[in-house]
């Protein structure tokens, strides 16, 4: 479902269950943890990613996400989205790829890496340097640009009714994959320096 939300709309509340995954088409939102602003999620970003990937009903949201401006978003029911992509292994693979890519790009430019470890239940160790984090992110993404050749669409095996519902998912994948490709080329350009955690990318 595509929705238009006013400035200040709350998409998720920290530690409260949220049954939706959101994808930002236009506008931006701010994420707060323990009252502290830690990240901005703009066009091409997902909200409530970790709850979706954990796959457990009633999983609490990782942080509080509130619109910084009017927003246009795609909203999916978590359970319905899992059911939808489960019927097409290729779609599920490509969606998971852009979800991980989007999350890792955010963690490389925000201050909430340790909070993620807490949320996932792992005991935090010493936080890796930004270089180590970037290397780990690229390894997780197959040292890939996260781009078209990785998430190329194959003919869907879904029944027609489900395929129609999957079009919003395909649209989100295309936008997110394009942003990942741009990020990869920018971050590997001569003279590019990855910003310290907590500072926005140039």
């Amino acid at each position: 479902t595509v929705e238009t939300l006013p400035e200040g709309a709350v998409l998720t509340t920290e530690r409260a269950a949220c049954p939706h995954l959101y994808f930002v088409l236009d506008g931006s939102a701010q994420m707060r943890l323990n009252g502290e602003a830690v990240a901005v999620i703009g066009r091409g970003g997902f909200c409530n990613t970790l709850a979706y990937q954990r796959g457990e009903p009633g999983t609490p949201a990782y942080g509080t996400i509130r619109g910084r401006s009017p927003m246009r978003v795609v909203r999916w029911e978590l359970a319905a989205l899992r059911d939808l992509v489960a019927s097409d292994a290729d779609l599920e693979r490509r969606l998971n790829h852009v979800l991980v890519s989007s999350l890792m790009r955010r963690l490389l430019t925000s201050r909430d890496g340790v909070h993620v470890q807490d949320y996932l239940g792992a005991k935090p160790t010493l936080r890796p340097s930004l270089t180590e984090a970037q290397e780990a992110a690229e390894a997780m993404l197959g040292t890939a640009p996260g781009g078209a050749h990785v998430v190329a669409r194959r003919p869907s095996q879904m029944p027609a009714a489900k395929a129609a519902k999957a079009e919003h998912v395909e649209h989100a994948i295309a936008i997110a994959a394009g942003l990942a490709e741009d990020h990869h080329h920018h971050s590997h350009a001569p003279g590019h320096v990855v910003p310290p955690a907590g500072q926005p990318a140039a």
Side-chain angles (χ1 to χ4, degrees), residues 7-194:
E7 180 179 350
V10 176
L11 283 71
T12 66
T13 300
E14 185 175 356
R15 303 296 174 174
C18 174
H20 304 118
L21 177 71
Y22 296 91
F23 179 76
V24 181
L25 292 169
D26 295 298
S28 65
Q30 184 175 74
M31 176 185 287
R32 302 183 75 88
L33 291 171
N34 301 317
E36 178 186 5
V38 295
V40 172
I41 302 170
R43 173 175 166 78
F46 293 87
C47 305
N48 210 26
T49 305
L50 292 173
Y52 172 79
Q53 292 183 317
R54 291 184 74 170
E56 302 166 1
T59 297
Y62 168 57
T64 295
I65 301 176
R66 185 186 301 269
R68 300 170 71 229
S69 65
M71 301 174 66
R72 196 164 61 94
V73 302
V74 182
R75 178 179 61 82
W76 296 281
E77 295 281 347
L78 295 180
L81 179 58
R82 292 190 194 103
D83 178 67
L84 178 67
V85 301
S87 61
D88 186 325
D90 180 61
L91 178 64
E92 184 174 37
R93 175 185 64 83
R94 292 183 293 113
L95 176 60
N96 285 335
H97 179 88
V98 295
L99 285 169
V100 171
S101 175
S102 176
L103 175 63
M104 295 308 296
R105 289 199 311 276
R106 197 195 82 221
L107 292 180
L108 290 175
T109 56
S110 68
R111 298 190 292 271
D112 59 324
V114 171
H115 294 291
V116 170
Q117 290 179 315
D118 289 337
Y119 174 87
L120 295 176
K123 291 185 178 180
T125 55
L126 291 176
R127 188 169 184 182
S129 71
L130 196 62
T131 300
E132 290 170 333
Q134 185 176 29
E135 289 173 353
E138 292 186 347
M140 180 179 290
L141 298 174
T143 62
H149 75 279
V150 176
V151 294
R153 182 176 182 177
R154 298 175 185 170
S156 175
Q157 303 301 310
M158 286 183 176
K162 277 196 170 183
K165 292 181 180 179
E167 282 306 308
H168 284 316
V169 182
E170 293 287 4
H171 186 51
I173 289 172
I175 293 173
L179 290 174
E181 179 104 355
D182 291 344
H183 174 84
H184 175 80
H185 290 316
H186 179 62
S187 64
H188 287 74
H192 175 74
V193 178
V194 176

